[in-house]
Amino acid sequence: MDDYTFENAKKVCGNVAGLLSWTQAMAAFFSINKEVLPLKANLAVQENRLQVANKQLGMAQAQLDDKQAELDTVQAKFDAAMKEKMDLLEDAETCRRKMEAASALIDGLSGERIRWTDQCKEFKAQINRLVGDVLLATGFLSYSGPFNQTFRDILIKVIWEVELQKRKIPYTDGINIIMFLVDQPTISEWNLQGLPSDDLSVQNGIIVTKAARYPLLIDPQTQGKTWIKKKEKNTDLQVTSLNHKYFRNHLEDALSLGRPLLLEDVGEELDPALDNVLEKNFIKSGTTYKVKVGDKETDIMPGFMFYITTKLPNPAYTPEISAKTSIIDFTVTIKGLENQLLGRVILTEKQELEAERVQLIEEVTANKRKMKELENNLLFKLSTTKGSLVDDESLIGVLQITKSTATEVSEKLHVAAETEIKINTAQEEYRPAATRGSILYFLITEMSMVNMMYQTSLAQFLKLFDQSMARFLLLLMQC
C-alpha cells in the first residue's frame, strides 16, 4: 500500500501514526526473526560441536605434549650421541695426526740417533776435560801470539800439558787448538779472504778474532794487513797511521760510529792517547760506554774493533805494550808462501782449475754453515718445545726441512770432496815449482845478513815470480 506511510497517518491522527509505526516495526521484526531463528538453532548445534571439538583438541594437545616431551628426551639423547660422535671423530683425527707426526719425528730423528748418541757420550767426556782444555786455549790466546809454530808447539805440548799432568787437571790428550776454538767453515772463509791456510796463519787468525786484547800484528810482508782489509771490507774499515794528520779524528770516528780501525805501520812506540782504548778503560754512562782519548771523552759503540800492524821484522816492544795488546807474529812461513805461490802458478797455468777451486771452497763453506745453522735450529726447537713433541707441528716442519736440506747438502759435500781430490791431484803437479819458489824467497831474505842492501820484500819477490812465469809463457808461445 502506497498510502500506508507514517506521514499520511500523522495527517489523520497522531495515535494512528504511532500505531502505524508499531505495526511496521513488528512487520520488520517478523521478517528478520524468521531468518534469525534458524541461525540460533544452528548456533546451538555449532556450539555443541565446538565443545566436542575443544574437548577433542584438549585431548590431542595433551597427547601432543606427551609426544613432544618424549621427542625432546630423544632429541637430547640424539644431540648427546652426535656430540660424542664428533668428539670421537676429532679424537680420531687428532690421534691420526699425532701418529703421522710421531712417524715423521721418528723417521726424521732416526738418522740422527746414532750420531747424537755418540756425541752425547763425547760431550759428557768433554765436560770432564773442559777445565784443562779451556786453560790451554786461554793460555794459547794470551801468550802464544809472538812465537812461531815451533815455540807454540813447545809451549802447549812440552810445558803446559806436562804441567796439567803434574797437577792432575784433566784435558784432551793431543788437543787440536784450531778445531777447539774455530770451526772449519770459518777457516775456509778466512782462506778466501787471503789468509794462508797453514796452521800458523790460521792460529794467528784465531788470536786476532778471539783474544781479549786488541791485536798488534808483526807483519813485515803485509799479509796480515791484506787479510784484515778483505775481512773488514763490508764494515767500513778505517785505515790510518800515527803520522796521519787526521789520526785523532779517525780514532774518534771509529769509536763513536762502531767501525773497525786499522792503525798501520807503527814503530816500537804507540801514541799515549791510545792507552785507555788499548786497556779498555771504558766508562759506563747510562746504557752506553765512553772512553777518554787524550783530554776528550768519546762514545764507544758496538762494532768497534782496533787492529795495529807493523812492518818491523823483529820489534822490541816494551812490557807495557805487550800487556796492552796481543802481539802476533804474522811473518810469512815457508808452507804458507808455498801455498800462495802454488795458487799463482795454477792461476797462470790452469786458470779455470784455480777458479773451480775457489768456487768449490765457497760452496763447501756455505753448505757447512747451512748444515750448522739447520742443526742448531733443530736442537733449539727440540730443547724449547713445551709439552709433547708430536703436538708441535712447526717442529715437524723444521725437522722435515732440515732432513731434506741435510741430504741435499751432504750430497753436495760428497761431490765437492771428490772434486777437491781431483783438483788437489792436478795442483800437486805444480807444487815443486811453488816449493822451489818458497825456498828461494827465504834464501834471498837471508842475504840481508850478508849486507843490508840485499833486503827484498815479499811484494817485490811475488812481482818477480809473476814476471818470470809470464816470460816463460811468452817463450813457449814463440817456440
Side-chain angles (χ1 to χ4, degrees), residues 236-273:
D236 297 327
L237 175 68
Q238 176 66 59
V239 181
T240 188
S241 65
L242 290 176
N243 298 326
H244 199 289
K245 62 180 180 179
Y246 296 121
F247 163 67
R248 287 288 184 92
N249 292 338
H250 291 161
L251 176 60
E252 292 171 3
D253 289 344
L255 286 166
S256 59
L257 298 176
R259 294 163 50 185
L261 177 67
L262 173 60
L263 179 61
E264 59 181 4
D265 304 339
V266 300
E268 293 185 349
E269 295 182 357
L270 299 178
D271 192 328

Side-chain angles (χ1 to χ4, degrees), residues 114-124 375:
I114 299 175
R115 184 169 66 87
W116 284 355
T117 302
D118 294 340
Q119 281 188 347
C120 185
K121 295 178 181 178
E122 177 61 25
F123 288 152
K124 288 181 180 178
E375 186 178 76

Side-chain angles (χ1 to χ4, degrees), residues 10-22:
K10 192 175 182 181
K11 292 177 182 179
V12 176
C13 179
N15 293 333
V16 173
L19 183 61
L20 185 142
S21 176
W22 177 80

Side-chain angles (χ1 to χ4, degrees), residues 91-303:
D91 291 343
E93 180 65 20
T94 302
C95 184
R96 185 187 64 80
R97 288 199 304 268
K98 287 185 177 181
M99 287 179 62
E100 292 178 353
S103 299
L105 195 63
I106 293 171
D107 183 56
L109 294 177
S110 59
E112 303 291 342
R113 178 181 177 183
I114 299 175
R115 184 169 66 87
W116 284 355
T117 302
D118 294 340
Q119 281 188 347
C120 185
K121 295 178 181 178
E122 177 61 25
F123 288 152
K124 288 181 180 178
Q126 277 186 1
I127 291 173
N128 296 329
R129 305 190 303 264
L130 198 58
V131 174
D133 293 347
V134 171
L135 189 58
L136 286 173
T138 51
F140 169 79
L141 291 174
S142 300
Y143 302 110
S144 65
F147 304 110
N148 59 24
Q149 187 67 59
T150 303
F151 282 100
R152 290 181 184 182
D153 291 340
I154 292 174
L155 270 177
I156 295 174
K157 300 184 182 302
V158 178
I159 300 176
W160 292 343
E161 289 189 3
V162 172
E163 193 67 25
L164 290 176
Q165 291 173 4
K166 287 181 180 179
R167 299 177 182 274
K168 296 182 180 180
I169 299 175
Y171 70 97
T172 301
D173 188 24
I175 183 174
N176 187 333
I177 290 293
I178 294 177
M179 291 297 102
F180 185 77
L181 291 173
V182 72
D183 55 8
Q184 187 59 44
T186 302
I187 297 175
S188 300
E189 188 175 348
W190 289 348
N191 295 150
L192 290 174
Q193 293 165 348
L195 185 70
S197 57
D198 60 289
D199 286 350
L200 180 65
S201 299
V202 174
Q203 289 177 1
N204 289 339
I206 293 173
I207 298 173
V208 168
T209 55
K210 293 188 178 294
R213 301 187 296 268
Y214 292 123
L216 195 164
L217 279 58
I218 301 174
D219 192 26
Q221 291 87 18
T222 69
Q223 283 196 126
K225 181 167 66 174
T226 302
W227 169 61
I228 289 173
K229 287 181 178 179
K230 290 183 179 179
K231 178 178 176 292
E232 301 287 358
K233 67 178 181 179
N234 296 325
T235 55
D236 297 327
L237 175 68
Q238 176 66 59
V239 181
T240 188
S241 65
L242 290 176
N243 298 326
H244 199 289
K245 62 180 180 179
Y246 296 121
F247 163 67
R248 287 288 184 92
N249 292 338
H250 291 161
L251 176 60
E252 292 171 3
D253 289 344
L255 286 166
S256 59
L257 298 176
R259 294 163 50 185
L261 177 67
L262 173 60
L263 179 61
E264 59 181 4
D265 304 339
V266 300
E268 293 185 349
E269 295 182 357
L270 299 178
D271 192 328
L274 296 174
D275 288 348
N276 287 326
V277 177
L278 295 177
E279 294 174 1
K280 296 187 177 180
N281 293 329
F282 303 150
I283 305 167
K284 187 171 180 60
S285 176
T287 58
T288 62
Y289 287 89
K290 294 180 180 292
V291 64
K292 197 168 185 179
V293 180
D295 56 352
K296 181 180 178 181
E297 283 191 354
T298 304
D299 291 334
I300 179 167
M301 301 301 292

Side-chain angles (χ1 to χ4, degrees), residues 380-393:
F380 175 77
K381 278 283 188 182
L382 288 172
S383 62
T384 57
T385 298
K386 296 181 180 179
S388 176
L389 294 177
V390 296
D391 293 333
D392 191 345
E393 295 182 359

Side-chain angles (χ1 to χ4, degrees), residues 71-88:
L71 177 62
D72 292 342
T73 303
V74 174
Q75 184 66 40
K77 292 180 179 179
F78 174 75
D79 292 340
M82 289 301 296
K83 185 178 182 301
E84 184 179 1
K85 176 185 175 182
M86 296 304 297
D87 292 341
L88 290 174

